[in-house]
Amino acid sequence: MRFWPGLLSGALLGLMPLAATAEIVSASYAEPTQRYQHGVFGETEEWGDLAFGLSDGQTMILRLPETRVFEDIAPRLVDVDGDGAPEMSVVETDLSLGARLAIYDEAGFVAATPFIGQTHRWLAPIGVADLDGDGLVELAYIDRPHLARLLRVWRFQDGTLVEVAQAEGLTNHRLGDPAISGGLRDCGAGPEMITADARWSRLVASRLVGGRIESRFVAEGVDFAAALDCRLP
């Protein structure tokens, strides 16, 4: 991977000196590419670069090798390590090994889940938060939302991601949809993960409790906006 300041020639990722006080303030994908052509969002264009702005005015570009793409809608700015500054959570796909959820900061790679292990296998993020109130941050996604429909929750701890729970029969994306549905909500009783059931016919709210996932049906139909706005119990 390569780290580029602006659009000038760059150095290997992690070797570019940055101001100690610079924080990430914005991020977006760049350099459209068709080298993968999976088409989960209804087209065959993915992204080769991750561009992000820093609080000191610099714009940096992280460029993936030709064997990987960002198979995603947009990077997510989240404080994973609890230091008050955001990191970037992204879906990064290897052309041979499929997708993984990866975290980058202003200096480069931080941590990632394992690649799914097979080409044209993808994951759809749900959100990032302290899901069980233990002071550590969890990252949730649906592993293979069109096939396995498996909710997986990982905890960022000691600089790495450790899986803490799984639940079957849940999804947040249909093949060809241009967006990822659902997400996280807190209606006053703690964070919940909002997804659909495997048939895309009912909304489901899931919590991380005591190292396991507890799920309940919220409503018939899939009005994600109403659920996320706490208009559905």
Side-chain angles (χ1 to χ4, degrees), residues 30-168:
E31 192 183 344
T33 177
Q34 293 189 330
R35 61 179 179 248
Y36 189 47
Q37 298 193 349
H38 188 190
V40 294
F41 298 117
E43 36 68 28
T44 57
E45 191 171 81
E46 308 298 347
W47 306 99
D49 287 3
L50 173 60
F52 55 97
L54 299 177
S55 57
D56 63 3
Q58 291 189 81
T59 297
M60 307 298 293
I61 297 177
L62 186 154
R63 178 157 295 159
L64 290 177
E66 291 295 314
T67 56
R68 296 184 188 177
V69 296
F70 293 111
E71 193 176 13
D72 202 358
I73 296 171
R76 297 148 194 87
L77 298 187
V78 289
D79 182 8
V80 174
D81 57 12
D83 66 353
E87 288 77 40
M88 298 174 288
S89 173
V90 300
V91 180
E92 180 183 335
T93 296
D94 184 274
L95 275 58
S96 298
L97 300 175
R100 70 177 182 178
L101 194 68
I103 302 169
Y104 290 91
D105 64 13
E106 65 277 3
F109 178 80
V110 176
T113 64
F115 290 107
I116 291 173
Q118 183 178 346
T119 187
H120 295 97
R121 296 296 182 266
W122 181 65
L123 62 87
I126 295 173
V128 180
D130 180 0
L131 295 176
D132 58 359
D134 67 350
L136 298 175
V137 169
E138 283 82 32
L139 298 87
Y141 63 79
I142 300 293
D143 182 346
R144 292 158 291 171
H146 321 125
L147 297 170
R149 299 180 177 89
L150 181 65
L151 169 59
R152 303 180 71 175
V153 177
W154 298 73
R155 178 174 294 131
F156 185 77
Q157 188 170 11
D158 298 326
T160 189
L161 290 172
V162 179
E163 188 169 18
V164 294
Q166 294 186 4
E168 298 178 346

Side-chain angles (χ1 to χ4, degrees), residues 171-172 174 180-185 187 193-197 199-205 217-233:
T171 187
N172 60 349
R174 293 180 296 182
I180 299 171
S181 299
L184 296 181
R185 75 174 188 181
C187 299
M193 298 167 275
I194 301 299
T195 65
D197 64 358
R199 296 184 177 182
W200 202 265
S201 61
R202 292 190 288 183
L203 287 174
V204 180
F217 291 114
V218 173
E220 296 290 338
V222 285
D223 189 345
F224 289 103
L228 293 173
D229 290 344
C230 299
R231 289 182 278 123
L232 294 173

